[in-house]
Amino acid sequence: MNALAPAFPRDAAVLPSAPVLGRKAIELEAAGVTFGRGAAAVPALSPTTMDIREGEFVALVGPCGVGKTPTLLTLAGLVPPQGGERTTRRSDVAVTP
């Protein structure tokens, strides 16, 4: 076999390109989260804006304490944002500061 020959024969099936992403499934707009109250309040998520579209895979990476878990909890609807807005295709949750 020639070292410069293609790895697949010419008539091999062509894999499709990246899938076309659908409409927005979840959107955070300036959503922030604070745990605790008063002097004990700890900002867990600075106001964050992001979109996740249908068919999209998303990974949150970063060092400890940057807000990965509060972001996931907010995206899942388990913790409401204390400011900003979380929107899904099925319902809106808006919070005024």
Side-chain angles (χ1 to χ4, degrees):
M1 180 175 187
N2 182 347
L4 300 176
F8 298 100
R10 283 185 179 232
D11 59 347
V14 177
L15 296 175
S17 60
V20 176
L21 298 176
R23 59 187 174 185
K24 290 179 186 176
I26 303 173
E27 180 180 11
L28 291 181
E29 183 150 346
V33 175
T34 302
F35 292 127
R37 296 176 188 233
V42 176
L45 177 63
S46 300
T48 301
T49 299
M50 67 185 297
D51 301 337
I52 299 176
R53 296 188 171 272
E54 291 178 348
E56 186 173 29
F57 289 86
V58 177
L60 298 176
V61 294
C64 293
V66 297
K68 297 179 300 288
T69 299
T71 301
L72 289 173
L73 292 172
T74 303
L75 287 170
L78 299 173
V79 172
Q82 278 86 42
E85 186 174 19
R86 175 189 169 267
T87 307
T88 65
R89 267 187 0 158
R90 297 190 181 141
S91 63
D92 283 340
V93 179
V95 177
T96 55

